[in-house]
Amino acid sequence: MSAAKTLPPSYFEAKYQADIDPWRFRTSAYEQEKYEATIAALSKPRYHNGLEVGCAIGILTAQLARHCDQLIALDASTTAIAEAARQNLPNVRFDAAFLPEEFPAGAFDLIVLSEVLYYFAEGDLQHVAEKCLNALQGGGEMILCHWLGATDYPLTGYQASDRFVKAVAKHRPTHVILHEGIYRLERLSFSGSAAHDGE
């Protein structure tokens, strides 16, 4: 039975305290292929300010950091953040944060939400989408990637993706699904001031 509420930080803390790599981010062939596809989904060679929501132990973060002048990487688990920070990436700030309440201040031209949106209940996901829109610079883009199998999370990968895309659709992004199989990978590109039209 699926959870009805957004999963709390304690859920993730328990996971990482029991096993610092509970989803095998470092060793899974699925994860490695997905990371490569996610980096390939970036439409620009370089970004000024990036934001990664749900960075876990920072495996994808290290790859994103090569494409960003500055990158903020967030996770609800302080244990995961401490492990990620051990990489000493000079252009990355790792912060423990529970969204949507603790969404970081700043303006970003890249926001990456990989394997994270289905942990939110629908109302909180709507708030996350609005906060992402408000933080996105004109001409910026968002990358979404979610596993499409059955979950006991508040939402499935399909639901999380569809609801997030619908929440930002009024701002008329160019939406491209780049991969859809065991996971869905998509890019939302906002031209000019489109991310803030109608505000």
Side-chain angles (χ1 to χ4, degrees), residues 69-121:
D69 296 333
Q70 301 293 326
L71 177 64
I72 295 175
L74 308 177
D75 201 89
S77 166
T78 57
T79 298
I81 285 293
E83 181 69 12
R86 290 177 58 195
Q87 299 177 93
N88 294 315
L89 301 170
N91 61 329
V92 180
R93 189 182 92 204
F94 288 101
D95 287 339
F98 183 49
L99 271 55
E101 290 85 357
E102 297 174 345
F103 198 94
F108 307 97
D109 52 348
L110 173 67
I111 299 177
V112 177
L113 304 112
S114 181
E115 306 271 21
V116 67
L117 291 177
Y118 36 45
Y119 298 131
F120 294 103

Side-chain angles (χ1 to χ4, degrees), residues 3-84:
K5 296 181 180 180
T6 295
L7 297 183
S10 58
Y11 172 87
F12 301 99
E13 266 300 286
K15 287 276 191 184
Y16 287 107
Q17 287 183 11
D19 181 347
I20 198 59
D21 191 5
W23 286 283
R24 301 295 174 257
F25 297 125
R26 290 175 171 143
T27 58
S28 162
Y30 161 78
E31 296 293 345
Q32 299 310 310
E33 190 278 330
K34 187 188 65 181
Y35 294 153
E36 291 175 8
T38 300
I39 295 302
L42 303 177
S43 70
K44 303 172 186 177
R46 196 80 187 163
Y47 299 85
H48 183 50
N49 285 316
L51 173 66
E52 182 189 8
V53 177
C55 69
I57 57 174
I59 307 303
L60 178 59
T61 313
Q63 298 181 44
L64 291 170
R66 301 183 193 121
H67 300 269
C68 297
D69 296 333
Q70 301 293 326
L71 177 64
I72 295 175
L74 308 177
D75 201 89
S77 166
T78 57
T79 298
I81 285 293
E83 181 69 12

